[in-house]
Amino acid sequence: MQIVLYDGTPFSFLTLLYEYVLEKREEPIPKIYNLLLRKERAGLFTKEIFPDYNKALKLKEILRAHLGEPFLKRLYHFYLCDSAFLEETLIKGLRRALENPEIVSHITDEDFGKLARAEKELFRERHRWLGMLRFIEVTKGILLAVYEPKFNTTPLLTSHFMKRFPQERFVIFDSLRKILFSYRVFNEKEIFLGRVENFEFELAEKDAFIELFKTYFDNISIPERKSLKRQRQRVPLKIRKFLVEFW
């Protein structure tokens, strides 16, 4: 079986779909690897997909005409569900949907039911990090939040924190995918969302809010009602290294 590699960017994702939904519709679906999450080496039976903006835009036009504008928004959500590895399911589903558009809304459909469940999990993950994301102060008064979400939720968090901290300068960094969002770091109107290979920062000498937060948690806790099992259910161990109250 052929192995296909793509770099995990939106345009390469759309190019991948264009090639295997429209151009190679009759061919078997290959094994697909997102290089943003899986490091695979090119070999004799591998093919790498490079972003083709014309193909990406043409695919969007075709899907908009056949499946409607709301589906394009959902397609973006499916792209953000990167660790669910939905590419093969999506290709199979889109091949069928171009002949029968009604199946995209059928949660009982094998392919689109799986996609819908992943989309729902994406928004659960977003909701989790809206409450769990922690900011620390780094040099020059910039606030920094580092995390490793299950899915690529950073694009879904930005508007919330821009409204919550309109006067602050802050950075959100997904250390797993190397995706960084910065707001007003370099100038008043600067907004950046993209991938960075190297990202370094220096902590401020002492963040009084971290100590205050830890003191707050110590004082509201009730030792007699302590339950480690419920703590792990509500705050999984894998995310605690990003929460200042557990430092």
Side-chain angles (χ1 to χ4, degrees), residues 44-83:
L44 182 62
F45 298 103
T46 61
K47 173 187 176 182
E48 190 166 354
I49 299 289
F50 296 98
D52 186 315
Y53 301 101
N54 291 327
K55 288 182 177 181
L57 294 176
K58 187 172 181 180
L59 175 72
K60 290 179 69 175
E61 291 175 2
I62 292 172
L63 294 182
R64 182 181 290 111
H66 286 79
L67 306 178
E69 187 69 35
F71 182 78
L72 291 181
K73 188 173 182 179
R74 295 191 66 202
L75 183 64
Y76 180 59
H77 295 161
F78 301 149
Y79 160 73
L80 295 178
C81 297
D82 50 6
S83 64

Side-chain angles (χ1 to χ4, degrees), residues 135-137 143 204-216 244:
F135 288 86
I136 57 175
E137 186 177 358
L143 301 179
E205 292 185 4
K206 188 175 182 179
D207 192 330
F209 285 100
I210 292 179
E211 300 305 317
L212 178 63
F213 205 42
K214 293 170 74 172
T215 302
Y216 167 75
V244 298

Side-chain angles (χ1 to χ4, degrees), residues 1 9 48 166:
M1 177 182 289
T9 60
E48 190 166 354

Side-chain angles (χ1 to χ4, degrees), residues 224-235:
E224 293 78 12
R225 300 186 65 182
K226 185 176 181 179
S227 171
L228 295 178
K229 180 178 179 181
R230 291 163 98 190
Q231 283 184 12
R232 287 192 290 269
Q233 288 175 341
R234 295 178 181 275
V235 187

Side-chain angles (χ1 to χ4, degrees), residues 13-22 59 75 90-91 94:
F13 176 74
L14 292 173
T15 304
L16 169 74
L17 295 182
Y18 179 91
E19 291 197 10
Y20 286 94
V21 172
L22 300 176
L59 175 72
L75 183 64
L90 188 55
I91 290 171
L94 287 176

